Amino acid sequence: MEAARLLESGRYTQAEVARELGVSPSTACEWARHLEDAGVAGLKSRARSGRPSKLTDGQGLEVKEAVKAGAKTAGFTSERWTLKRVAQFIRCRYGVHYHPNYLVEPLHRLGLSVQRPKPKARERDEALV
């Protein structure tokens, strides 16, 4: 919207707008084209295109709660969640297939992040540490 204000004022070139707002000149050019074609409404954010989520919002929240509750609660032998385990949980619970490599973004949208435990030497003496 700041770009629209600057461009419509007529006092700034597209290059100056790009420098002022810290974007590339091609982005400022694209904004100017959208402004000319559709006015300020052409610059408003649009909904993300792409494939919709395979899980409903409610199911996503259930997955988040299950992850927070722990892997043992979900029937696994240890507390460590892996992407493969999350995919297995979703498939068993909802009948929806996710490849583990593509679960990072859906989990991130739920407010979860991938974390890896720090490696520890097998010879480590906890009492000495």
Side-chain angles (χ1 to χ4, degrees):
M1 295 303 120
E2 180 67 13
R5 189 183 64 74
L6 294 173
L7 289 168
E8 285 182 329
S9 74
R11 295 180 289 165
Y12 297 92
T13 65
Q14 291 175 14
E16 291 170 334
V17 169
R19 274 192 298 278
E20 179 74 22
L21 299 178
V23 297
S24 69
S26 62
T27 298
C29 180
E30 188 177 333
W31 287 345
R33 187 172 40 84
H34 285 299
L35 187 62
E36 187 177 315
D37 292 346
V40 176
L43 294 175
K44 295 205 185 274
S45 296
R46 289 179 284 286
R48 245 183 175 190
S49 61
R51 181 180 222 152
S53 177
K54 294 178 181 182
L55 296 174
T56 66
D57 291 341
Q59 290 170 335
L61 292 176
E62 288 176 18
V63 169
K64 180 178 181 177
E65 292 305 314
V67 168
K68 286 185 171 185
K72 280 189 172 182
T73 307
F76 295 101
T77 56
S78 69
E79 276 301 330
R80 183 179 293 178
W81 277 107
T82 62
L83 292 174
K84 189 175 179 180
R85 282 184 173 185
V86 174
Q88 184 180 351
F89 174 79
I90 291 171
R91 187 175 52 253
C92 290
R93 182 94 179 245
Y94 304 108
V96 173
H97 175 74
Y98 271 101
H99 190 280
N101 293 352
Y102 298 98
L103 270 174
V104 174
E105 189 175 327
L107 292 175
H108 184 71
R109 280 195 303 266
L110 293 172
L112 301 170
S113 64
V114 176
Q115 299 175 3
R116 292 179 179 85
K118 292 182 182 178
K120 292 182 182 176
R122 291 179 192 208
E123 301 83 22
R124 180 178 168 136
D125 184 359
E126 290 295 328
L128 184 62
V129 173

